[in-house]
Amino acid sequence: MSSISKKYGERVENFSNKAARELLSLIERKKTNLSLALDVTTKREFLEIADKVGPYICLLKTHIDILVDFDQDLIDQLKELRAKHDFLIFEDRKFADIGNTVKYQYSKGIYKIVEWADITNAHPLPGDGIVSGLKEVGLSLGRGLLLLAEMSSKGSLATGAYTEAAIEMARRHKDFVIGFIAGRKLICNDDEDFIVMSPGVGLDASKDGLGQQYKTPRSVIFENGSDIIIVGRGIYGKDKDVATEAQRYRDAGWNAYLERLTN
Ligand code: BMP
């Protein structure tokens, strides 16, 4: 049976990677395929929103380098929220350099991403070395990697042969590459499984002023067969009650998945 008609929990056995197994189990147990893209720039806002939205998400997606007052205490508190609300952490670092460099960017510097992020991502652009470099530091800690096979922004060059090459790269590193950033299910074979996460999801807007393009949760999960919706400003935009909006996206994402299972 293709993963498209399987329950999240039934797919755990398709993965050897610890982060992938934990994520699929968590989605099944918590009944949410919503990931929050928490793009705010102060520690106070970051922790406040994470605490309010935590109950409704499977994955908290960070851009740790946009925080103006980043410190180790932020990471300690983020880990506490991770345990309190039962979610995993995805640092959307979009690595894009040679293997030797990304290895250090992943594990050293100020952020030491590999120490706290269950999942991170990379552009396949530099070739297989980028995956090998990240794998050297991440795999033994049980981390997982997503490849950016497509992007949600207008005019993205990640299409066609590039997307196909990203799929082939993932196949060569199945122990560490757990899936893709893409707008749709990319592989529908019965015998291989990758987790697809889709950004560019919104219920109220179709675009922002800077090239972002939005689809609805139903279009992404039910029509396109993706697994996780990534939502940012749709949840914490101006005048929004973040917990109410998070529940709205959680319900929309989960109902679209249930609709897919029964069709
Ligand atoms: P928003 O829902 O506010 O548009 O945020 C989308 C988030 O997903 C941002 O953090 C952005 O960096 C990320 N993202 C994206 O929008 N498109 C992509 O193709 C890949 C991304 O990581």
Side-chain angles (χ1 to χ4, degrees), residues 54-227:
Y56 311 109
I57 58 172
C58 58
L59 193 62
L60 182 75
K61 189 178 84 57
T62 57
H63 278 303
I64 207 68
D65 60 356
I66 68 175
L67 285 147
V68 294
D69 49 359
F70 170 86
D71 59 7
Q72 184 55 40
D73 177 63
L74 171 74
I75 296 299
D76 295 342
Q77 291 203 52
L78 176 58
K79 283 186 190 160
E80 278 170 29
L81 290 173
R82 177 188 186 280
K84 175 179 171 189
H85 295 300
D86 192 21
F87 57 69
L88 296 190
I89 302 168
F90 164 22
E91 164 56 23
D92 188 0
R93 174 62 179 75
K94 297 189 178 72
F95 292 102
D97 213 319
I98 61 166
N100 189 59
T101 302
V102 295
K103 189 171 81 177
Y104 295 128
Q105 290 174 323
Y106 191 21
S107 59
K108 306 287 185 192
I110 301 170
Y111 303 117
K112 300 179 180 57
I113 294 163
V114 76
E115 291 182 11
W116 51 269
D118 303 279
I119 295 168
T120 192
N121 58 356
H123 288 292
L125 186 76
D128 281 62
I130 190 166
V131 179
S132 306
L134 294 168
K135 184 153 78 170
E136 256 184 37
V137 284
L139 188 63
S140 61
L141 294 172
R143 307 308 188 204
L145 183 72
L146 303 169
L147 290 178
L148 285 123
E150 294 181 332
M151 289 197 72
S152 62
S153 41
K154 194 164 179 350
S156 162
L157 306 181
T159 60
Y162 184 91
T163 303
E164 289 305 316
I167 296 170
E168 287 309 318
M169 191 179 291
R171 285 181 168 138
R172 291 191 290 272
H173 302 273
K174 277 226 70 171
D175 51 349
F176 189 53
V177 178
I178 64 173
F180 304 101
I181 295 294
R184 62 203 162 92
K185 183 114 206 132
L186 297 173
I187 305 172
C188 287
N189 300 342
D190 292 358
D191 52 357
E192 51 180 349
D193 197 358
F194 289 100
I195 301 168
V196 176
M197 305 192 189
S198 301
V201 173
L203 283 163
D204 306 317
S206 62
K207 56 186 181 178
D208 68 5
L210 294 171
Q212 177 68 295
Q213 308 176 112
Y214 292 112
K215 293 186 194 142
T216 63
R218 186 174 183 275
S219 141
V220 163
I221 300 287
F222 175 70
E223 289 166 21
N224 293 358
S226 174
D227 297 309

